[in-house]
Amino acid sequence: MALNLRQKQTECIIRMLNLNQPLKQSGTANEEVYKILIYDKFCQNILSPLIHVKDLRKHGVTLYFLIDKDRKTVRDVPAVYFVQPTQSNIHRIISDASEALYDTFHLNFSSSIPRPLLEDLASGTLKSGSVEKVSKVYDQYLEFVTLEDNLFSLAQQSTYVQLNDPSAGEKEIEAIIERVASGLFCVLVTLGVVPVIRCPPVGPAEMLASLLDQKLRDHLLSKNNMFTEGGGFMSSFQRPLLCIFDRNFELSVGIQHDFRYRPLVHDVLGLKLNRLNVQGEKGGMKSFELDSSDPFWSANSSLEFPEVAVEIETQLNKYKRDVEEVNNRTGGGSGAEFDGTDLIGNTKHLMNAVNSLPELTERKQVIDKHTNIATALLGQIKERSIDAFTKKESDMMVRGGIDRAELMAALKGKGTKMDKLRFAIMYLISTETINQSEVESVEAALNEAGADTSAFQYVKKIKSLNVSLAASANSASRSNIVDWAEKLYGQSISAVTAGVKNLLSSDQQLAVTRTVEALTEGKPNPEFDSYLLLDPRAPKSSSGGGSHVKGPFREAMVFMIGGGNYVEYGSLQELTQRQLTVKNVIYGATEILTGSELVEQLGLLGKKMGLGGPVASSSSSGH
């Protein structure tokens, strides 16, 4: 059975809402208890894509509040707290308990509560004489946001900037990697699996893989081992393969424009936590939800936008035909005369029509929703020439460059400042060698458009550094440059400008997808043999090299440090459709970013290096 992260996390949350009691077949607790739910902003975002108000009601939650809001006393009712284990949350819980706001306190922390905070909680409730109010304390290991069955985000913002910041010290980098490892550990606990880990042998991916491997090893030795797999007897064929990458492995995918429905809705309309707002026909804003409960979204989100428009039209026509058929059957149309002698037959038709009404109404709502979304997208596409940017960027990556006249025409044509900036960065990444006069013309065009060129300058700097590294490959000074460069940019030197060779193969398959496909097959492959292999269930000495990897793997998990996107997610889901080995791929990232949000982070790094304008705080925020 395929791993389903959304289902697993939802089950954990429902158990938590039922005071961590065993559930009946119906999915509710044996004893119905009315309760209050208290959460912080982070945990609200975890709940939002999974649990709706009607679900809360079903599980006895009558009221729900943010922890930092002023709340009134509610006697004789237990409270379920679902919060991050932070100092401010612990202080608030102690305050609530001392004021006896609720009958009992069921405390659920999104990740493992550190010992010092647990001691603060104990001493604080003891001092205020409210320790008996605290019924239970649970570590829930749920510190991640699941957006689809196979898509999650750790909701850790600006990780890309933090890891690539030239002023970041070793301890700061280690603290970031530790936070990411804790989030990924929560995902694995929720799924109940210990994966085999593969990653490139350098940079943040290697640091994360090694730390996660150690965390899993330590946990497997502890008494309260939460992994329920069949011990060491499970073959690698049944265990998942976890492939870890750093955003710099394939930077272009995070920046480029894309013309498929799901990435377009995210990039253009700002899909966040599966919700988006669209301008309605009469001027007001309409809010829509897009998740697996929407059959049209599930079936068509990976299609190119023109195909989606055709599909909306097809569904609308089918709906009209079905309505007409119902009218005809019930005597409302010209197709069927009412025959008094066949009263039973006509009554049957009427009953069928009544039964089909809710389904028809629901279908119409879905069609209307996607008509609204498609109309909003079409307006933006026309206004900004998104289709032209998508095509030109794709051609650049395949050809390794672009005609100068075409390049300048795109930069002086339609599109927002950010569209042009993204296009210019894609030009930099795609070209093997930099033509100085051409780059100056691009910069002039960006300045003319009023764009902030910090991100462009940053990528250009890395690109030129890459060229000087290659030029000094045989000289004695190379080691000094490499040391300095790696200190300054982490892994990004060679990776940002890996060029067409790494970024796209002949059939335009993404590098991440191509790599995952090769790694899940588990066959010797000179391109990926240098990748680390870590198996937390194997003796430590046998981990590290790729020599004894057993494949193929049916289940894979792909994790991207520094920000993921819907383009990569879609590409990996397509992989499961077109090849026989891997049947299921779960994709996750530190955050899910639009192209604009990633470019903002590149711009911030440019400013930190003194390229472009003054340093501003990062405003980008993915899921």
Side-chain angles (χ1 to χ4, degrees), residues 252 255 392-393 396-397 400-404 406-408 411 420-443 446 456 459-460 463 497 500:
S252 59
I255 297 168
K392 286 189 175 84
E393 286 165 4
M396 274 196 296
M397 295 308 288
I402 186 171
D403 174 66
R404 185 167 184 156
E406 201 181 346
L407 172 70
M408 298 316 293
L411 290 170
K420 292 173 182 179
L421 182 56
R422 283 164 67 181
F423 179 69
I425 293 171
M426 287 299 292
Y427 151 75
L428 268 186
I429 293 174
S430 68
T431 43
E432 284 285 313
T433 51
I434 291 178
N435 176 327
Q436 204 51 49
S437 72
E438 202 165 81
V439 169
E440 282 168 14
S441 304
V442 169
E443 279 180 45
L446 287 174
F456 183 82
V459 175
K460 187 177 81 167
K463 180 110 188 179
T497 51
V500 190

mmCIF file of all heavy atoms in Angstrom, residues 252 255 392-393 396-397 400-404 406-408 411 420-443 446 456 459-460 463 497 500:
data_model
loop_
_atom_site.group_PDB
_atom_site.id
_atom_site.type_symbol
_atom_site.label_atom_id
_atom_site.label_comp_id
_atom_site.label_asym_id
_atom_site.label_seq_id
_atom_site.Cartn_x
_atom_site.Cartn_y
_atom_site.Cartn_z
ATOM 1 N N SER A 252 17.263 26.814 -11.635
ATOM 2 C CA SER A 252 16.400 27.341 -12.699
ATOM 3 C C SER A 252 14.929 26.964 -12.525
ATOM 4 O O SER A 252 14.048 27.769 -12.795
ATOM 5 C CB SER A 252 16.888 26.838 -14.061
ATOM 6 O OG SER A 252 16.870 25.428 -14.075
ATOM 7 N N ILE A 255 12.809 29.306 -10.642
ATOM 8 C CA ILE A 255 12.701 30.686 -11.148
ATOM 9 C C ILE A 255 11.836 30.788 -12.398
ATOM 10 O O ILE A 255 11.125 31.758 -12.613
ATOM 11 C CB ILE A 255 14.123 31.240 -11.445
ATOM 12 C CG1 ILE A 255 14.935 31.292 -10.138
ATOM 13 C CG2 ILE A 255 14.069 32.619 -12.097
ATOM 14 C CD1 ILE A 255 16.416 31.549 -10.351
ATOM 15 N N LYS A 392 10.071 30.985 -24.289
ATOM 16 C CA LYS A 392 11.446 31.473 -24.513
ATOM 17 C C LYS A 392 12.422 30.884 -23.484
ATOM 18 O O LYS A 392 13.542 30.524 -23.811
ATOM 19 C CB LYS A 392 11.479 33.006 -24.464
ATOM 20 C CG LYS A 392 10.873 33.662 -25.703
ATOM 21 C CD LYS A 392 11.137 35.168 -25.695
ATOM 22 C CE LYS A 392 10.643 35.827 -26.970
ATOM 23 N NZ LYS A 392 9.212 36.157 -26.921
ATOM 24 N N GLU A 393 11.979 30.821 -22.220
ATOM 25 C CA GLU A 393 12.853 30.254 -21.172
ATOM 26 C C GLU A 393 13.148 28.785 -21.438
ATOM 27 O O GLU A 393 14.284 28.331 -21.290
ATOM 28 C CB GLU A 393 12.189 30.423 -19.791
ATOM 29 C CG GLU A 393 12.228 31.858 -19.282
ATOM 30 C CD GLU A 393 11.287 32.129 -18.122
ATOM 31 O OE1 GLU A 393 10.642 31.177 -17.632
ATOM 32 O OE2 GLU A 393 11.186 33.302 -17.713
ATOM 33 N N MET A 396 15.590 28.564 -24.301
ATOM 34 C CA MET A 396 16.928 28.961 -23.852
ATOM 35 C C MET A 396 17.639 27.801 -23.169
ATOM 36 O O MET A 396 18.819 27.570 -23.385
ATOM 37 C CB MET A 396 16.826 30.123 -22.848
ATOM 38 C CG MET A 396 16.779 31.493 -23.480
ATOM 39 S SD MET A 396 17.113 32.800 -22.278
ATOM 40 C CE MET A 396 15.789 32.726 -21.125
ATOM 41 N N MET A 397 16.908 27.109 -22.292
ATOM 42 C CA MET A 397 17.520 26.015 -21.538
ATOM 43 C C MET A 397 17.937 24.871 -22.457
ATOM 44 O O MET A 397 18.965 24.239 -22.255
ATOM 45 C CB MET A 397 16.547 25.483 -20.466
ATOM 46 C CG MET A 397 16.208 26.489 -19.387
ATOM 47 S SD MET A 397 17.648 27.248 -18.606
ATOM 48 C CE MET A 397 18.257 25.890 -17.640
ATOM 49 N N GLY A 400 20.740 26.463 -24.906
ATOM 50 C CA GLY A 400 21.915 27.015 -24.229
ATOM 51 C C GLY A 400 22.153 28.472 -24.583
ATOM 52 O O GLY A 400 23.286 28.943 -24.580
ATOM 53 N N GLY A 401 21.102 29.192 -24.903
ATOM 54 C CA GLY A 401 21.251 30.615 -25.231
ATOM 55 C C GLY A 401 20.036 31.114 -25.980
ATOM 56 O O GLY A 401 19.066 30.393 -26.174
ATOM 57 N N ILE A 402 20.102 32.389 -26.404
ATOM 58 C CA ILE A 402 18.969 33.012 -27.112
ATOM 59 C C ILE A 402 19.516 34.103 -28.029
ATOM 60 O O ILE A 402 20.554 34.718 -27.751
ATOM 61 C CB ILE A 402 17.963 33.599 -26.084
ATOM 62 C CG1 ILE A 402 16.701 34.132 -26.792
ATOM 63 C CG2 ILE A 402 18.603 34.692 -25.227
ATOM 64 C CD1 ILE A 402 15.584 34.529 -25.842
ATOM 65 N N ASP A 403 18.808 34.318 -29.121
ATOM 66 C CA ASP A 403 19.183 35.371 -30.068
ATOM 67 C C ASP A 403 19.066 36.736 -29.368
ATOM 68 O O ASP A 403 18.099 37.002 -28.655
ATOM 69 C CB ASP A 403 18.228 35.307 -31.268
ATOM 70 C CG ASP A 403 18.442 36.449 -32.226
ATOM 71 O OD1 ASP A 403 19.517 36.491 -32.841
ATOM 72 O OD2 ASP A 403 17.531 37.311 -32.326
ATOM 73 N N ARG A 404 20.067 37.592 -29.571
ATOM 74 C CA ARG A 404 20.114 38.868 -28.850
ATOM 75 C C ARG A 404 18.882 39.739 -29.091
ATOM 76 O O ARG A 404 18.334 40.333 -28.167
ATOM 77 C CB ARG A 404 21.389 39.632 -29.278
ATOM 78 C CG ARG A 404 21.591 40.915 -28.490
ATOM 79 C CD ARG A 404 22.974 41.484 -28.697
ATOM 80 N NE ARG A 404 23.197 42.659 -27.871
ATOM 81 C CZ ARG A 404 24.385 43.081 -27.495
ATOM 82 N NH1 ARG A 404 25.466 42.431 -27.848
ATOM 83 N NH2 ARG A 404 24.510 44.171 -26.770
ATOM 84 N N GLU A 406 15.885 38.796 -29.857
ATOM 85 C CA GLU A 406 14.741 38.173 -29.177
ATOM 86 C C GLU A 406 14.814 38.445 -27.666
ATOM 87 O O GLU A 406 13.806 38.733 -27.014
ATOM 88 C CB GLU A 406 14.777 36.658 -29.444
ATOM 89 C CG GLU A 406 13.434 35.983 -29.240
ATOM 90 C CD GLU A 406 13.486 34.477 -29.492
ATOM 91 O OE1 GLU A 406 14.475 33.989 -30.078
ATOM 92 O OE2 GLU A 406 12.530 33.805 -29.081
ATOM 93 N N LEU A 407 16.024 38.368 -27.140
ATOM 94 C CA LEU A 407 16.265 38.621 -25.716
ATOM 95 C C LEU A 407 15.838 40.043 -25.340
ATOM 96 O O LEU A 407 15.081 40.256 -24.386
ATOM 97 C CB LEU A 407 17.755 38.409 -25.410
ATOM 98 C CG LEU A 407 18.272 38.792 -24.019
ATOM 99 C CD1 LEU A 407 17.741 37.830 -22.961
ATOM 100 C CD2 LEU A 407 19.798 38.790 -23.984
ATOM 101 N N MET A 408 16.314 41.017 -26.126
ATOM 102 C CA MET A 408 16.022 42.423 -25.814
ATOM 103 C C MET A 408 14.541 42.748 -26.022
ATOM 104 O O MET A 408 13.951 43.526 -25.267
ATOM 105 C CB MET A 408 16.899 43.357 -26.660
ATOM 106 C CG MET A 408 18.402 43.210 -26.416
ATOM 107 S SD MET A 408 18.871 43.093 -24.675
ATOM 108 C CE MET A 408 18.435 44.733 -24.109
ATOM 109 N N LEU A 411 12.624 41.710 -22.993
ATOM 110 C CA LEU A 411 12.877 42.580 -21.830
ATOM 111 C C LEU A 411 12.227 43.958 -21.981
ATOM 112 O O LEU A 411 11.985 44.639 -20.999
ATOM 113 C CB LEU A 411 14.383 42.740 -21.600
ATOM 114 C CG LEU A 411 15.105 41.485 -21.082
ATOM 115 C CD1 LEU A 411 16.607 41.671 -21.119
ATOM 116 C CD2 LEU A 411 14.653 41.138 -19.661
ATOM 117 N N LYS A 420 10.401 40.115 -15.979
ATOM 118 C CA LYS A 420 11.603 40.422 -16.770
ATOM 119 C C LYS A 420 12.877 40.038 -16.016
ATOM 120 O O LYS A 420 13.834 39.547 -16.608
ATOM 121 C CB LYS A 420 11.610 41.914 -17.146
ATOM 122 C CG LYS A 420 10.497 42.244 -18.140
ATOM 123 C CD LYS A 420 10.357 43.729 -18.409
ATOM 124 C CE LYS A 420 9.186 43.968 -19.369
ATOM 125 N NZ LYS A 420 8.970 45.387 -19.666
ATOM 126 N N LEU A 421 12.851 40.237 -14.696
ATOM 127 C CA LEU A 421 14.003 39.883 -13.875
ATOM 128 C C LEU A 421 14.204 38.359 -13.892
ATOM 129 O O LEU A 421 15.331 37.867 -14.047
ATOM 130 C CB LEU A 421 13.785 40.386 -12.445
ATOM 131 C CG LEU A 421 14.910 40.157 -11.433
ATOM 132 C CD1 LEU A 421 16.230 40.749 -11.923
ATOM 133 C CD2 LEU A 421 14.543 40.748 -10.072
ATOM 134 N N ARG A 422 13.108 37.625 -13.750
ATOM 135 C CA ARG A 422 13.195 36.155 -13.783
ATOM 136 C C ARG A 422 13.714 35.676 -15.140
ATOM 137 O O ARG A 422 14.564 34.782 -15.219
ATOM 138 C CB ARG A 422 11.813 35.535 -13.498
ATOM 139 C CG ARG A 422 11.437 35.579 -12.037
ATOM 140 C CD ARG A 422 9.947 35.340 -11.808
ATOM 141 N NE ARG A 422 9.526 34.001 -12.139
ATOM 142 C CZ ARG A 422 8.278 33.564 -12.035
ATOM 143 N NH1 ARG A 422 7.327 34.386 -11.582
ATOM 144 N NH2 ARG A 422 7.953 32.342 -12.349
ATOM 145 N N PHE A 423 13.226 36.295 -16.196
ATOM 146 C CA PHE A 423 13.651 35.936 -17.554
ATOM 147 C C PHE A 423 15.150 36.213 -17.727
ATOM 148 O O PHE A 423 15.888 35.399 -18.288
ATOM 149 C CB PHE A 423 12.819 36.733 -18.565
ATOM 150 C CG PHE A 423 13.180 36.468 -20.003
ATOM 151 C CD1 PHE A 423 12.901 35.241 -20.586
ATOM 152 C CD2 PHE A 423 13.804 37.443 -20.778
ATOM 153 C CE1 PHE A 423 13.222 34.984 -21.917
ATOM 154 C CE2 PHE A 423 14.142 37.200 -22.103
ATOM 155 C CZ PHE A 423 13.840 35.968 -22.668
ATOM 156 N N ALA A 424 15.601 37.361 -17.212
ATOM 157 C CA ALA A 424 17.021 37.734 -17.332
ATOM 158 C C ALA A 424 17.914 36.761 -16.561
ATOM 159 O O ALA A 424 19.003 36.381 -17.029
ATOM 160 C CB ALA A 424 17.221 39.156 -16.813
ATOM 161 N N ILE A 425 17.447 36.310 -15.389
ATOM 162 C CA ILE A 425 18.231 35.334 -14.604
ATOM 163 C C ILE A 425 18.266 33.987 -15.324
ATOM 164 O O ILE A 425 19.303 33.314 -15.348
ATOM 165 C CB ILE A 425 17.663 35.206 -13.165
ATOM 166 C CG1 ILE A 425 17.877 36.513 -12.391
ATOM 167 C CG2 ILE A 425 18.318 34.045 -12.417
ATOM 168 C CD1 ILE A 425 17.163 36.585 -11.050
ATOM 169 N N MET A 426 17.154 33.611 -15.938
ATOM 170 C CA MET A 426 17.116 32.366 -16.712
ATOM 171 C C MET A 426 18.101 32.441 -17.891
ATOM 172 O O MET A 426 18.762 31.461 -18.227
ATOM 173 C CB MET A 426 15.695 32.091 -17.233
ATOM 174 C CG MET A 426 14.717 31.654 -16.159
ATOM 175 S SD MET A 426 15.172 30.119 -15.336
ATOM 176 C CE MET A 426 14.968 28.955 -16.670
ATOM 177 N N TYR A 427 18.209 33.629 -18.484
ATOM 178 C CA TYR A 427 19.188 33.839 -19.577
ATOM 179 C C TYR A 427 20.606 33.597 -19.044
ATOM 180 O O TYR A 427 21.419 32.918 -19.671
ATOM 181 C CB TYR A 427 19.032 35.254 -20.149
ATOM 182 C CG TYR A 427 20.299 35.852 -20.718
ATOM 183 C CD1 TYR A 427 20.794 35.427 -21.952
ATOM 184 C CD2 TYR A 427 21.009 36.836 -20.008
ATOM 185 C CE1 TYR A 427 21.982 35.962 -22.464
ATOM 186 C CE2 TYR A 427 22.178 37.371 -20.513
ATOM 187 C CZ TYR A 427 22.666 36.931 -21.737
ATOM 188 O OH TYR A 427 23.827 37.452 -22.233
ATOM 189 N N LEU A 428 20.916 34.154 -17.859
ATOM 190 C CA LEU A 428 22.247 33.980 -17.250
ATOM 191 C C LEU A 428 22.551 32.508 -16.995
ATOM 192 O O LEU A 428 23.639 32.030 -17.287
ATOM 193 C CB LEU A 428 22.308 34.709 -15.904
ATOM 194 C CG LEU A 428 22.801 36.152 -15.865
ATOM 195 C CD1 LEU A 428 22.900 36.600 -14.407
ATOM 196 C CD2 LEU A 428 24.151 36.323 -16.547
ATOM 197 N N ILE A 429 21.568 31.808 -16.404
ATOM 198 C CA ILE A 429 21.786 30.397 -16.042
ATOM 199 C C ILE A 429 21.961 29.531 -17.284
ATOM 200 O O ILE A 429 22.784 28.619 -17.304
ATOM 201 C CB ILE A 429 20.613 29.873 -15.163
ATOM 202 C CG1 ILE A 429 20.617 30.571 -13.805
ATOM 203 C CG2 ILE A 429 20.699 28.358 -14.974
ATOM 204 C CD1 ILE A 429 19.428 30.234 -12.912
ATOM 205 N N SER A 430 21.193 29.842 -18.327
ATOM 206 C CA SER A 430 21.186 28.956 -19.507
ATOM 207 C C SER A 430 22.416 29.111 -20.399
ATOM 208 O O SER A 430 22.790 28.183 -21.095
ATOM 209 C CB SER A 430 19.916 29.187 -20.330
ATOM 210 O OG SER A 430 19.949 30.476 -20.913
ATOM 211 N N THR A 431 23.054 30.288 -20.407
ATOM 212 C CA THR A 431 24.178 30.484 -21.327
ATOM 213 C C THR A 431 25.464 29.935 -20.737
ATOM 214 O O THR A 431 25.785 30.179 -19.575
ATOM 215 C CB THR A 431 24.385 31.983 -21.667
ATOM 216 O OG1 THR A 431 24.257 32.732 -20.453
ATOM 217 C CG2 THR A 431 23.357 32.488 -22.641
ATOM 218 N N GLU A 432 26.186 29.186 -21.565
ATOM 219 C CA GLU A 432 27.437 28.571 -21.125
ATOM 220 C C GLU A 432 28.497 29.636 -20.825
ATOM 221 O O GLU A 432 29.165 29.584 -19.815
ATOM 222 C CB GLU A 432 27.953 27.618 -22.216
ATOM 223 C CG GLU A 432 27.191 26.300 -22.280
ATOM 224 C CD GLU A 432 27.564 25.360 -21.131
ATOM 225 O OE1 GLU A 432 28.762 25.191 -20.866
ATOM 226 O OE2 GLU A 432 26.651 24.822 -20.496
ATOM 227 N N THR A 433 28.645 30.577 -21.750
ATOM 228 C CA THR A 433 29.658 31.634 -21.548
ATOM 229 C C THR A 433 28.973 32.992 -21.574
ATOM 230 O O THR A 433 28.048 33.225 -22.365
ATOM 231 C CB THR A 433 30.719 31.597 -22.672
ATOM 232 O OG1 THR A 433 30.046 31.590 -23.925
ATOM 233 C CG2 THR A 433 31.588 30.357 -22.553
ATOM 234 N N ILE A 434 29.449 33.880 -20.726
ATOM 235 C CA ILE A 434 28.830 35.211 -20.612
ATOM 236 C C ILE A 434 29.409 36.154 -21.655
ATOM 237 O O ILE A 434 30.621 36.301 -21.781
ATOM 238 C CB ILE A 434 29.064 35.786 -19.192
ATOM 239 C CG1 ILE A 434 28.261 34.971 -18.164
ATOM 240 C CG2 ILE A 434 28.689 37.252 -19.129
ATOM 241 C CD1 ILE A 434 28.442 35.419 -16.727
ATOM 242 N N ASN A 435 28.497 36.763 -22.420
ATOM 243 C CA ASN A 435 28.900 37.802 -23.368
ATOM 244 C C ASN A 435 28.727 39.136 -22.637
ATOM 245 O O ASN A 435 27.607 39.569 -22.344
ATOM 246 C CB ASN A 435 27.994 37.725 -24.611
ATOM 247 C CG ASN A 435 28.278 38.827 -25.602
ATOM 248 O OD1 ASN A 435 28.646 39.950 -25.226
ATOM 249 N ND2 ASN A 435 28.086 38.527 -26.869
ATOM 250 N N GLN A 436 29.846 39.793 -22.317
ATOM 251 C CA GLN A 436 29.826 40.971 -21.448
ATOM 252 C C GLN A 436 28.933 42.093 -21.970
ATOM 253 O O GLN A 436 28.139 42.671 -21.214
ATOM 254 C CB GLN A 436 31.265 41.479 -21.233
ATOM 255 C CG GLN A 436 31.466 42.291 -19.951
ATOM 256 C CD GLN A 436 30.934 41.609 -18.687
ATOM 257 O OE1 GLN A 436 31.213 40.440 -18.423
ATOM 258 N NE2 GLN A 436 30.131 42.330 -17.912
ATOM 259 N N SER A 437 29.022 42.379 -23.260
ATOM 260 C CA SER A 437 28.223 43.496 -23.806
ATOM 261 C C SER A 437 26.737 43.152 -23.775
ATOM 262 O O SER A 437 25.887 44.012 -23.533
ATOM 263 C CB SER A 437 28.665 43.827 -25.238
ATOM 264 O OG SER A 437 28.252 42.811 -26.119
ATOM 265 N N GLU A 438 26.436 41.859 -24.005
ATOM 266 C CA GLU A 438 25.034 41.412 -23.970
ATOM 267 C C GLU A 438 24.472 41.552 -22.550
ATOM 268 O O GLU A 438 23.357 42.037 -22.362
ATOM 269 C CB GLU A 438 24.969 39.952 -24.427
ATOM 270 C CG GLU A 438 23.606 39.528 -24.945
ATOM 271 C CD GLU A 438 23.678 38.219 -25.707
ATOM 272 O OE1 GLU A 438 23.705 37.151 -25.069
ATOM 273 O OE2 GLU A 438 23.729 38.264 -26.946
ATOM 274 N N VAL A 439 25.274 41.151 -21.563
ATOM 275 C CA VAL A 439 24.850 41.236 -20.158
ATOM 276 C C VAL A 439 24.618 42.699 -19.766
ATOM 277 O O VAL A 439 23.651 43.022 -19.063
ATOM 278 C CB VAL A 439 25.897 40.573 -19.227
ATOM 279 C CG1 VAL A 439 25.587 40.888 -17.761
ATOM 280 C CG2 VAL A 439 25.913 39.070 -19.430
ATOM 281 N N GLU A 440 25.499 43.593 -20.236
ATOM 282 C CA GLU A 440 25.320 45.029 -19.935
ATOM 283 C C GLU A 440 24.018 45.556 -20.526
ATOM 284 O O GLU A 440 23.315 46.350 -19.904
ATOM 285 C CB GLU A 440 26.529 45.819 -20.456
ATOM 286 C CG GLU A 440 27.748 45.692 -19.536
ATOM 287 C CD GLU A 440 29.032 46.216 -20.175
ATOM 288 O OE1 GLU A 440 28.943 46.924 -21.214
ATOM 289 O OE2 GLU A 440 30.114 45.904 -19.652
ATOM 290 N N SER A 441 23.690 45.087 -21.749
ATOM 291 C CA SER A 441 22.423 45.497 -22.384
ATOM 292 C C SER A 441 21.234 44.998 -21.575
ATOM 293 O O SER A 441 20.224 45.707 -21.410
ATOM 294 C CB SER A 441 22.315 44.924 -23.804
ATOM 295 O OG SER A 441 23.414 45.318 -24.570
ATOM 296 N N VAL A 442 21.349 43.761 -21.056
ATOM 297 C CA VAL A 442 20.263 43.181 -20.244
ATOM 298 C C VAL A 442 20.080 44.014 -18.967
ATOM 299 O O VAL A 442 18.957 44.357 -18.595
ATOM 300 C CB VAL A 442 20.574 41.701 -19.895
ATOM 301 C CG1 VAL A 442 19.598 41.182 -18.836
ATOM 302 C CG2 VAL A 442 20.495 40.826 -21.145
ATOM 303 N N GLU A 443 21.206 44.354 -18.329
ATOM 304 C CA GLU A 443 21.135 45.164 -17.098
ATOM 305 C C GLU A 443 20.493 46.528 -17.371
ATOM 306 O O GLU A 443 19.675 47.003 -16.589
ATOM 307 C CB GLU A 443 22.537 45.355 -16.511
ATOM 308 C CG GLU A 443 23.004 44.151 -15.710
ATOM 309 C CD GLU A 443 24.389 44.348 -15.122
ATOM 310 O OE1 GLU A 443 24.651 45.427 -14.567
ATOM 311 O OE2 GLU A 443 25.209 43.419 -15.229
ATOM 312 N N LEU A 446 16.808 46.093 -17.686
ATOM 313 C CA LEU A 446 16.178 45.866 -16.377
ATOM 314 C C LEU A 446 16.053 47.178 -15.605
ATOM 315 O O LEU A 446 15.022 47.451 -14.982
ATOM 316 C CB LEU A 446 16.994 44.855 -15.553
ATOM 317 C CG LEU A 446 16.922 43.381 -15.990
ATOM 318 C CD1 LEU A 446 17.899 42.527 -15.177
ATOM 319 C CD2 LEU A 446 15.508 42.817 -15.851
ATOM 320 N N PHE A 456 19.886 39.516 -10.031
ATOM 321 C CA PHE A 456 20.615 39.309 -11.295
ATOM 322 C C PHE A 456 22.123 39.414 -11.041
ATOM 323 O O PHE A 456 22.907 38.586 -11.504
ATOM 324 C CB PHE A 456 20.159 40.361 -12.318
ATOM 325 C CG PHE A 456 20.789 40.212 -13.682
ATOM 326 C CD1 PHE A 456 20.282 39.303 -14.592
ATOM 327 C CD2 PHE A 456 21.895 40.969 -14.050
ATOM 328 C CE1 PHE A 456 20.851 39.158 -15.853
ATOM 329 C CE2 PHE A 456 22.481 40.837 -15.293
ATOM 330 C CZ PHE A 456 21.950 39.925 -16.201
ATOM 331 N N VAL A 459 23.475 36.242 -9.170
ATOM 332 C CA VAL A 459 23.669 35.060 -10.030
ATOM 333 C C VAL A 459 24.856 35.298 -10.975
ATOM 334 O O VAL A 459 25.649 34.399 -11.235
ATOM 335 C CB VAL A 459 22.375 34.720 -10.813
ATOM 336 C CG1 VAL A 459 22.604 33.577 -11.785
ATOM 337 C CG2 VAL A 459 21.256 34.362 -9.838
ATOM 338 N N LYS A 460 24.984 36.537 -11.457
ATOM 339 C CA LYS A 460 26.113 36.870 -12.353
ATOM 340 C C LYS A 460 27.444 36.683 -11.622
ATOM 341 O O LYS A 460 28.398 36.143 -12.173
ATOM 342 C CB LYS A 460 25.976 38.313 -12.852
ATOM 343 C CG LYS A 460 27.019 38.686 -13.912
ATOM 344 C CD LYS A 460 26.825 40.097 -14.435
ATOM 345 C CE LYS A 460 27.438 41.099 -13.482
ATOM 346 N NZ LYS A 460 27.557 42.441 -14.078
ATOM 347 N N LYS A 463 28.192 33.082 -11.306
ATOM 348 C CA LYS A 463 28.547 32.561 -12.631
ATOM 349 C C LYS A 463 29.998 32.923 -12.971
ATOM 350 O O LYS A 463 30.766 32.068 -13.424
ATOM 351 C CB LYS A 463 27.599 33.165 -13.668
ATOM 352 C CG LYS A 463 27.856 32.707 -15.090
ATOM 353 C CD LYS A 463 26.759 31.810 -15.570
ATOM 354 C CE LYS A 463 27.105 31.209 -16.901
ATOM 355 N NZ LYS A 463 26.088 30.331 -17.396
ATOM 356 N N THR A 497 25.265 27.239 -11.823
ATOM 357 C CA THR A 497 25.442 27.313 -13.272
ATOM 358 C C THR A 497 25.865 25.962 -13.828
ATOM 359 O O THR A 497 26.764 25.876 -14.631
ATOM 360 C CB THR A 497 26.491 28.372 -13.608
ATOM 361 O OG1 THR A 497 27.637 28.093 -12.809
ATOM 362 C CG2 THR A 497 25.989 29.752 -13.287
ATOM 363 N N VAL A 500 23.374 23.565 -19.177
ATOM 364 C CA VAL A 500 22.346 22.750 -19.808
ATOM 365 C C VAL A 500 22.572 21.271 -19.508
ATOM 366 O O VAL A 500 21.639 20.507 -19.379
ATOM 367 C CB VAL A 500 22.364 22.973 -21.335
ATOM 368 C CG1 VAL A 500 21.165 22.349 -21.985
ATOM 369 C CG2 VAL A 500 22.407 24.449 -21.639
#
